[in-house]
Amino acid sequence: MLQRPRRRCEGTAMGAIVLDLRPGLGIGPFSLGMPICEAFAQIEQQPNIYDVVHVKYYDEDPLKLDMVISFPDHGFHLRFDPWSQRLRLVEIFDVKRLQMRYSNSLIGGPSTLATFVAVYALFGPTFPGIYDKERGVYTLFYPGLSFAFPIPSQYTDCCHDREAELPLEFPDGTTPVTCRVSIYDSSTDKKVGVGALMDKASVPPLPPGSLYMEEVHVKLGEELHFTVGGQCIPFGASPQDVWTELGRPCGIHQKQVDQMVIHSASDPRPKTTLCGDYFYNYFTRGLDILFDGQTHKIKKFVLHTNYPGHADFNSYIKCNFIVYGSDLGSSFQEVTGSKNRITAGTKWEQVKEILGDCGRAAIQTQGSTSNPFGSTFVYGYQNVAFEVMKNGYIATVTLFQS
């Protein structure tokens, strides 16, 4: 778990922020379907509001559980689908800490209790909800929005069936108070709430033609093929070719000393000088392209998986690559059904089954002994090298021509 340094301003009371509640769409600046990097960008823009942020993920298997950005001071968190890294669910878990604005009215926070009566008055009539007998929780549903209410044990008889009547008031005249609010995509008509119902929240579909995480097909030693735009970028292409096909790069920077060149006995260059090679960085595609400083031709591609627990996490959007060996077919169409495919979700043991054992790994420390994530391991094959994290997942794929 990572925690940003505390930067609370004087006078910022806990739970004092007000965020617009958008059923089926999101809350405040956080929209369902947004990539995790965009959420971090929103957080960085308002450090005085989002001054304590926890990032949670399952280190041993980052694809097994959601990535979660939590705001403990404000009582809510954002759940991101681990594969697409897009926001699938917003949960307000402490309604007293977050004031929500809906249709010019406020609900929640320390001053406005989110009671059943208040919710019903603000959002209007709806169908009877679902009563979870084991948890003692009654969930009320609106399109893209649900409210969970704890039911005291002495009043469980008020909710006989799973499809329960609306418990506006208990026999003693009290009304239940919301313990959790869920905001989720409403396009599928799924009911999302606490417990098993939480898993039903899915990421909204991408708009047609979206380039986010488009499949990038890799033919080892030859080229990259972008499936949405249809571009093909071969080794040896010029900066002008790349600019024409992929557009302006997000960044350009000079390559420093090539630390791996010492392992190449055929390279006569001194090992301590700066090299003239330079990168085009396409952060929004999860891709770096390295050009030779003398010939100005592509000599390497670097593809990033953007897994949490790696030093480059949140620097790149995840690259949704599929690597095919050069001996697996003469065209992408012929090999797309092949089992010998390496993707961003392929673990190192599977890579070895496909390509064979390549021997010992080089140790990569990310250039800093203070890197909190520890070292990674680099394994080289003909035309490709894999940087592998300690959990066995691929961090980067470097493509070159042997």
Side-chain angles (χ1 to χ4, degrees):
M1 185 180 77
L2 302 178
Q3 181 170 327
R4 291 160 55 90
R6 280 183 169 262
R7 296 185 295 198
R8 190 189 308 286
C9 287
E10 291 297 321
T12 304
M14 193 178 293
I17 68 168
V18 179
L19 295 182
D20 285 320
L21 174 61
R22 297 176 286 128
L25 297 174
I27 193 165
F30 305 109
S31 298
L32 295 170
M34 75 189 314
I36 194 167
C37 62
E38 290 184 14
F40 280 122
Q42 291 292 338
I43 293 166
E44 289 293 334
Q45 286 174 19
Q46 302 185 74
N48 296 333
I49 294 177
Y50 306 111
D51 58 343
V52 179
V53 181
H54 294 176
V55 180
K56 304 173 185 178
Y57 58 91
Y58 187 32
D59 190 38
E60 294 176 21
D61 192 345
L63 290 179
K64 190 173 183 179
L65 300 174
D66 288 340
M67 291 188 289
V68 178
I69 300 179
S70 182
F71 307 94
D73 280 3
H74 304 310
F76 76 102
H77 53 220
L78 311 173
R79 288 188 170 273
F80 294 82
D81 171 73
W83 170 255
S84 68
Q85 302 186 347
R86 295 172 64 217
L87 181 58
R88 73 175 188 93
L89 180 63
V90 179
E91 287 183 293
I92 297 98
F93 58 84
D94 189 342
V95 184
K96 291 181 180 178
R97 289 179 182 241
L98 181 67
Q99 194 146 57
M100 296 166 278
R101 182 191 294 113
Y102 178 75
S103 187
N104 297 322
S105 297
L106 298 176
I107 192 165
S111 59
T112 315
L113 274 183
T115 64
F116 195 104
V117 171
V119 168
Y120 204 74
L122 180 56
F123 293 93
T126 188
F127 297 101
I130 294 177
Y131 178 58
D132 184 331
K133 199 171 184 179
E134 288 184 15
R135 286 186 170 80
V137 171
Y138 177 93
T139 305
L140 190 65
F141 300 96
Y142 293 91
L145 180 68
S146 69
F147 296 87
F149 300 91
I151 306 298
S153 56
Q154 66 267 33
Y155 297 134
T156 54
D157 292 343
C158 298
C159 309
H160 295 293
D161 307 315
R162 192 164 181 271
E163 289 279 338
E165 291 299 315
L166 301 174
L168 284 172
E169 287 187 346
F170 296 127
D172 64 356
T174 60
T175 181
V177 179
T178 304
C179 63
R180 187 167 295 245
V181 180
S182 300
I183 306 164
Y184 51 92
D185 177 48
S186 56
S187 61
T188 59
D189 289 332
K190 291 178 179 174
K191 292 183 175 179
V192 176
V194 296
L197 289 176
M198 188 178 71
D199 297 330
K200 294 182 179 292
S202 53
V203 178
L206 286 166
S210 170
L211 296 179
Y212 180 77
M213 264 186 68
E214 70 174 312
E215 280 190 2
V216 179
H217 292 199
V218 178
K219 212 165 178 189
L220 288 180
E222 295 186 31
E223 63 185 353
L224 298 188
H225 173 68
F226 296 83
T227 56
V228 175
Q231 305 96 331
C232 283
I233 311 290
F235 282 99
S238 69
Q240 291 85 352
D241 296 333
V242 173
W243 198 297
T244 300
E245 294 293 336
L246 299 184
R248 182 192 185 101
C250 305
I252 301 173
H253 81 269
Q254 202 77 13
K255 190 178 190 303
Q256 300 301 306
V257 177
D258 190 342
Q259 294 173 331
M260 299 302 288
V261 81
I262 193 170
H263 297 288
S264 174
S266 62
D267 197 312
R269 290 181 297 176
K271 311 310 179 194
T272 56
T273 60
L274 294 175
C275 64
D277 300 348
Y278 54 96
F279 280 105
Y280 273 15
N281 308 114
Y282 287 92
F283 301 119
T284 55
R285 292 178 180 266
L287 170 68
D288 294 321
I289 300 175
L290 180 67
F291 293 94
D292 186 285
Q294 295 180 328
T295 65
H296 303 287
K297 302 293 185 185
I298 292 177
K299 60 190 290 187
K300 284 183 183 179
F301 297 97
V302 183
L303 315 178
H304 300 261
T305 60
N306 196 42
Y307 280 122
H310 186 265
D312 287 340
F313 175 63
N314 200 46
S315 298
Y316 296 82
I317 279 177
K318 183 177 186 176
C319 182
N320 187 16
F321 59 80
I322 301 177
V323 177
Y324 304 102
S326 55
D327 58 338
L328 295 179
S330 58
S331 72
F332 291 115
Q333 286 72 29
E334 291 174 23
V335 297
T336 48
S338 169
K339 292 181 180 177
N340 293 329
R341 305 166 15 136
I342 298 168
T343 73
T346 306
K347 297 195 74 172
W348 173 238
E349 290 302 316
Q350 297 168 281
V351 174
K352 286 197 291 185
E353 288 177 14
I354 294 170
L355 297 180
D357 197 339
C358 67
R360 295 174 62 194
I363 306 298
Q364 172 89 295
T365 62
Q366 306 300 326
S368 171
T369 53
S370 62
N371 168 28
F373 302 110
S375 56
T376 53
F377 308 96
V378 180
Y379 298 90
Y381 292 90
Q382 184 175 4
N383 297 325
V384 62
F386 298 92
E387 181 192 0
V388 181
M389 300 164 65
K390 289 178 179 177
N391 57 18
Y393 278 93
I394 299 168
T396 63
V397 176
T398 300
L399 309 167
F400 50 88
Q401 287 183 312
S402 298

